[in-house]
Amino acid sequence: MWRAQEDDAAIAHVKRLVGSIHPERGDFERAWTDLEEALTLYERARSSRGRALTLRTMALYHLARAELDQAEKLAEQAVRIFRELDDQLLESYAVRTLAKARIRLGRCEEALEPLERALLTTRSLRDRYGEAITLRTLGELHLTEGRLDQAQSRLNEAMGLWEALNLPLFRARTLRDLALLHAERGDAATAETVRAEAIEVFRVYGSREYGELSSNPL
């Protein structure tokens, strides 16, 4: 329909959303094709916000493939554009994506303060979804750094929000983190129980994590 109307921005919007769904299912080749088209169309439409949204989605694509340097570069570009647009909420989302790349690159010290600021932004704007994903990322950071009590506190806060928002898939992703935390504490039985619960949700939703976890024991 939008192609018939020759509306580049609308086509780009649909392409970006479709490009964000494919990685959830593990279909990376189709995802990148859609995201590249979205970026080209947003640039042609001169939409800075659309371009930044697509850059962030591309960064998430690279995170899913453990291509961390590429994820960091694209997330930095998205943060810069949202800051120029004075869009605090979308900047907080891009900051979280950038932080995840830096955590996985082993540079947690660069991620903590921006994540704490992003958490304040989501809370002040009453974005409970954004708050929950930021709390989960903070939990990942503390877990990576071995601060298990702080990690558990943040992850439990995220779990409460996922349950309130009725988002089982995101709850399962946080359960996956909690399984790692219990394993770090030496509680293998609890870790396996929590992990099994997460795997079942991933199976039901057909998400890529089902294959990842089914073939990789703790």
Side-chain angles (χ1 to χ4, degrees):
M1 182 181 71
W2 291 123
R3 288 194 191 282
Q5 298 295 322
E6 298 182 349
D7 188 329
D8 285 344
I11 298 166
H13 177 71
V14 175
K15 281 290 182 178
R16 185 184 69 82
L17 292 178
V18 172
S20 71
I21 293 168
H22 288 312
E24 298 287 321
R25 299 172 58 84
D27 190 347
F28 293 106
E29 183 175 349
R30 292 177 66 189
W32 192 251
T33 299
D34 284 322
L35 292 173
E36 282 190 316
E37 185 176 354
L39 187 62
T40 298
L41 289 166
Y42 273 131
E43 288 172 347
R44 195 158 73 195
R46 299 182 180 179
S47 172
S48 296
R49 178 171 279 100
R51 181 170 176 268
L53 283 166
T54 308
L55 289 169
R56 175 181 175 268
T57 306
M58 286 175 154
L60 291 170
Y61 165 96
H62 285 300
L63 278 176
R65 291 170 59 88
E67 296 164 353
L68 303 179
D69 290 332
Q70 298 95 316
E72 181 183 29
K73 179 180 178 180
L74 292 169
E76 285 175 334
Q77 293 178 45
V79 169
R80 183 166 58 252
I81 295 170
F82 287 132
R83 192 166 292 156
E84 290 169 355
L85 294 171
D86 195 28
D87 191 326
Q88 295 181 11
L89 183 59
L90 288 179
E91 182 186 338
S92 74
Y93 276 66
V95 162
R96 185 193 69 86
T97 304
L98 177 57
K100 288 182 78 70
R102 289 177 172 169
I103 290 167
R104 294 172 191 182
L105 284 165
R107 289 158 38 210
C108 293
E109 70 284 354
E110 297 177 38
L112 181 57
E113 185 178 347
L115 279 174
E116 294 286 5
R117 289 200 307 269
L119 182 61
L120 290 174
T121 297
T122 57
R123 284 176 169 168
S124 68
L125 296 175
R126 299 183 180 181
D127 176 16
R128 292 198 297 167
Y129 171 81
E131 180 182 354
I133 56 174
T134 307
L135 285 165
R136 182 187 167 219
T137 306
L138 281 163
E140 180 184 344
L141 185 152
H142 290 307
L143 181 57
T144 300
E145 292 279 274
R147 295 186 290 270
L148 301 187
D149 289 342
Q150 289 171 269
Q152 185 156 14
S153 176
R154 290 306 198 184
L155 293 173
N156 285 343
E157 286 182 83
M159 285 289 287
L161 285 168
W162 297 136
E163 289 164 4
L165 293 166
N166 191 26
L167 292 172
L169 182 57
F170 289 92
R171 180 179 179 276
R173 288 171 174 164
T174 307
L175 282 173
R176 181 184 188 178
D177 299 329
L178 285 167
L180 293 172
L181 185 145
H182 290 302
E184 284 292 313
R185 291 192 187 280
D187 188 348
T190 300
E192 191 52 46
T193 298
V194 170
R195 186 172 182 274
E197 183 180 350
I199 289 174
E200 176 57 18
V201 176
F202 296 144
R203 184 192 67 77
V204 169
Y205 278 83
S207 68
R208 70 174 187 272
E209 289 96 340
Y210 177 66
E212 293 171 358
L213 291 184
S214 298
S215 59
N216 292 297
L218 281 171

